[in-house]
Amino acid sequence: MKVSDQHTDLEHFLKQVPLFSSIPGPQIIEIASCFHFSEFKKDSIIFSQGDFSDSMYIIRSGAVIIYSGKREEKNFQTELGRGDFFGEMALLSDLPRNASVKVTLDATLFYLKKKDFENLISKNRHIGLFLSRLYARRLSSGFKFREIQPKSIFYTISATDPDLGLSHFLYSMSFHISTESKKRVLVVEPHLELESVMQRFGLSIIPCPDESLFGLLPPDTYKPGDFKWFYHESGFQVLQVNKGFNEKLVPVLPLLMESFKYRYDIVIFSLAHHFKNLEQQAVRLCDKNLLLINNTRKALRDVKQKLCAIETQAGTGLDRVRVGVSHLCGSYGIAREDLKRELSLSEIPQIWVDRSDKALNDQIDTEKRFPVKGPRAVAREIAGVRIGLALGAGAARGWSHIGVLKVLEDQGIHIDMIAGTSMGALVGAIFAARGSVDHLKKYTIDLFPTRALARKKIFDYTLPFRGFLKGRKAMNLVATAIDHADFMDLVIPTYLVGVDIMKGEEILFETGDVSKAVRSSLSLPAVFTPFKYQGRWMVDGGLLNPVPVSILEQKGADKVIAVCVESPGSHPKDRTRVPGIMGVISRTISIVHGRATSGFAKKSDIVIYPDVQGFAWDDFHKGEVLMQRGIKACEEVIHEIKALVQ
C-alpha cells in the first residue's frame, strides 16, 4: 500500500475508532499525518514487559493478546482486535511497559510515537476525557488480569495422498464436534468439490448465512459467486471457494479469519494434498495443523517431505502439528511405534481412518461407538469433551471399580482414557482391552467365588525375604484376560503408575507389555515381592499416586472422574483383636494410601467414594458385594456425571 493510500485509509479508519470519534474532520487529517504504519506476523512480540515506552498502537486488522508475567507463567489480561488500542498507559505514566503484547493473527498496526502522543493529548481534551472515563470504568469493575476465553481455534487438515479418505475423516470429525459439544464449526474448502460429492456427505447448499463475513475484504477482490455455502443437519457449515479465486485469498486470508473469529468456535481449512501459496499461508496462520498420512514404507519419503514442509511453515509452538494414520492405502504398513521414531513425532500416531464401508464410500460416520476411536476420538479432543477415569489403589476393595464401570457403561458414558494405580491398574487394563464390563467381570471376580479359590488363583507364596507373594499368578491372570496385549492393542488409551523403590520415583507405563506394567503397579510392599521391569525395581504406585488424576491432566483429559476406595477409615472395623502381620500390613497400606490421596480431589470434576469400610485387603472372594458398593456409589452421582458430560 502506498504511503498516500495508507493515510487516506487511516483518516477513514480513525473516524470509526471510539478514541477519536468525537474529533472534527480537519483535526483527524492532522492526527493521521503523525501516525506510522507497520505489519506484524503471527507470534511476533510487539513489546515485552519492562521495555522502554516509546509508542501507542491502534489495530487496523488482526489480533493481539496482552499478558503479564514470565513466559512460563503468563497471566493473560485480554485479547484485542480491530479498532482497539494499547500502549498508551506507559506513555501517560512514563514507566516501563507493565505487560507484553503478542500477535495472534497477522496484524496491521498504526502507531504514534511518544512525543506526538503527548502533543495529541494536550491539544484534544476529548481524548483525555475518553481515556479517564475508560480507566475509571476499569477500576470500578475490578478490572484485573484474567485468562482469555478464546473466540475461536483455527485448524488446517491435509493429507500426503489424495486417496486416504480425508473428506470422510474431516466431515465425520466435524459432525462429532457439532453433536458432542454444540460448538459452531466451519469447514473452509479452498479446492472446489462437486455438489454431488457434497450431497453424498449429507450436505445441502444454502444461501450465505452472513454477508458481513466478507466485510473486511476489499470489494474489488471477490464476487459473491466466488463462494458457495453448504450445511449439515448436525450444525456445521462448509464454505467452498470457487476455482481460480483461491490464490486471491492468500493476501486477504488474515482478514477473512478475523471475521470468522467472532462467529465460529472452530474453523478448519481443508488443504487436501496440495501445498502451494494458499496452503502455506493457512498453515502459518492457524493454531494447529492435522496431517493424515499413509503408513506404508513406499510412501515414507513423501510423508517426511510433507511433514517437514508443514512444520517449517507452522514454526515453533506446542503441539502445532499432529499426525494420524490412514489404513485405506495398503493393508500392511509400518508399525505406529516405528512411525513415531522415524518421523521424530512427539507421540505415537493414532489411526484416524480405517477400512470401513463409510470411509470407502465417502459417507459420514455418525455412530457414537464405544470404545471411542477414529474421527470421533479426534473430534472429542478438539471439542474439549474428553472424559478421563482415574481408578485408585485399594487391593480387593478395588473390585468396587467394576461397579462404577458397570453404571457408566449402562448409562452410555463413554470414557476416552483411563489412568490406574495398583488394583485400579489391574481393573483399568482389563477393561481397556475390550471396553466391556462383562469381559472384565468374567476374568476377575467371577473367578473367585470363595476365599479358597481366591487364594489358590492369586496367592503364590514365597519365602518372605522381600514379600509374601511372587505375583506371577496375578500377572498371568491379567495376561490371559487381555490376551497378552501390548499397550498399543488396548482399545482405550490407558496409563498405569508404579514406583521405582530404589529412587523413590513415580513411573508412568504407557508402552510395552501391559501385564508386566500391571504387575509393577500392584506390588504392595511386604505383600508382593518388588518386580524388576525395564531395569527398575517396581512397587505399588499407590505409595506416591494412589488416585492418578494428575496423569489424566498430563494426557489432556478435559473432565476427570476419580474413584477412591482408600479413603481414611476404609480398613476393617474390628479393632478388638490384636492384628496379625498381614493385618498390620493391610492397615499400614491403607493409612499410607489414605494420606497420599489428599489433594487429588480438587483436581477432579467428580470423585466417587464407594463405601468399602469393613473389607480387608485380601477379600477378593467378596467381589459381588464390592461391585454392588461401586454401583451404589456411582448411581448416587450419576446425575452429576451426566451434567458433566453434557
Side-chain angles (χ1 to χ4, degrees), residues 605-607 635-646:
D605 295 281
I606 294 174
V607 183
E635 287 178 339
E636 290 174 353
V637 296
I638 193 61
H639 293 298
E640 296 176 40
I641 294 174
K642 287 183 176 180
L644 178 72
V645 171
Q646 294 169 358

Side-chain angles (χ1 to χ4, degrees), residues 343-361:
L343 298 177
S344 299
L345 303 176
S346 59
E347 62 181 4
I348 295 172
Q350 300 300 308
I351 299 171
W352 288 354
V353 179
D354 223 331
R355 295 184 66 82
S356 68
D357 289 340
K358 290 187 176 181
L360 293 168
N361 293 297

Side-chain angles (χ1 to χ4, degrees), residues 174-247:
S174 300
F175 169 85
H176 288 295
I177 296 172
S178 300
T179 54
E180 301 207 24
S181 71
K182 306 302 180 185
K183 290 191 174 182
R184 300 165 298 174
V185 179
L186 173 66
V187 175
V188 181
E189 288 273 15
H191 307 286
L192 186 65
E193 290 278 7
L194 295 175
E195 192 170 332
S196 59
V197 174
M198 305 301 279
Q199 289 174 349
R200 283 210 301 271
F201 285 108
L203 292 156
S204 304
I205 195 165
I206 59 170
C208 176
D210 185 355
E211 295 290 348
S212 67
L213 287 170
F214 308 108
L216 295 179
L217 299 185
D220 58 343
T221 62
Y222 78 100
K223 303 185 296 293
D226 289 328
F227 301 105
K228 189 179 291 185
W229 289 86
F230 293 85
Y231 175 80
H232 191 272
E233 61 181 3
S234 63
F236 72 87
Q237 297 175 355
V238 178
L239 169 61
Q240 269 198 11
V241 181
N242 282 348
K243 186 175 182 181
F245 176 68
N246 49 25
E247 281 301 313

Side-chain angles (χ1 to χ4, degrees), residues 58 80 109 113 158 218 281 421:
I58 299 176
L80 303 179
L109 305 179
K113 304 297 286 186
S158 54
Q281 175 83 316
T421 292

Side-chain angles (χ1 to χ4, degrees), residues 98-109:
N98 65 356
S100 302
V101 179
K102 180 179 178 179
V103 178
T104 57
L105 186 62
D106 283 11
T108 299
L109 305 179

Side-chain angles (χ1 to χ4, degrees), residues 487-631:
F487 274 89
M488 292 290 290
D489 300 318
L490 300 179
V491 296
I492 304 171
T494 300
Y495 312 97
L496 308 181
V497 179
V499 170
D500 181 335
I501 191 62
M502 304 305 293
K503 295 183 178 180
E505 294 177 352
E506 178 181 320
I507 304 299
L508 176 63
F509 296 106
E510 53 183 324
T511 59
D513 190 311
V514 176
S515 61
K516 290 180 179 178
V518 172
R519 171 65 180 87
S520 300
S521 183
L522 56 74
S523 297
L524 282 165
V527 176
F528 288 101
T529 59
F531 183 63
K532 191 171 186 179
Y533 183 47
Q534 297 181 351
R536 299 172 181 266
W537 285 104
M538 303 303 303
V539 296
D540 193 326
L543 296 179
L544 293 181
N545 199 346
V547 187
V549 170
S550 59
I551 302 301
L552 296 174
E553 283 188 311
Q554 294 172 22
K555 296 301 179 181
D558 301 291
K559 304 293 181 183
V560 174
I561 301 170
V563 188
C564 179
V565 299
E566 281 287 17
S567 54
S570 61
H571 47 75
K573 296 179 180 179
D574 184 4
R575 299 179 177 86
T576 59
R577 294 186 302 167
V578 177
I581 185 170
M582 297 304 289
V584 169
I585 292 172
S586 174
R587 290 170 186 262
T588 301
I589 295 300
S590 290
I591 292 170
V592 171
H593 286 176
R595 293 291 177 89
T597 57
S598 60
F600 84 91
K602 63 184 179 182
K603 297 180 181 180
S604 309
D605 295 281
I606 294 174
V607 183
I608 301 172
Y609 293 100
D611 180 7
V612 292
Q613 292 193 47
F615 292 92
W617 75 273
D618 59 346
D619 280 342
F620 295 103
H621 60 295
K622 296 182 179 179
E624 291 287 352
V625 178
L626 285 160
M627 180 177 172
Q628 289 301 317
R629 296 293 177 95
I631 289 173

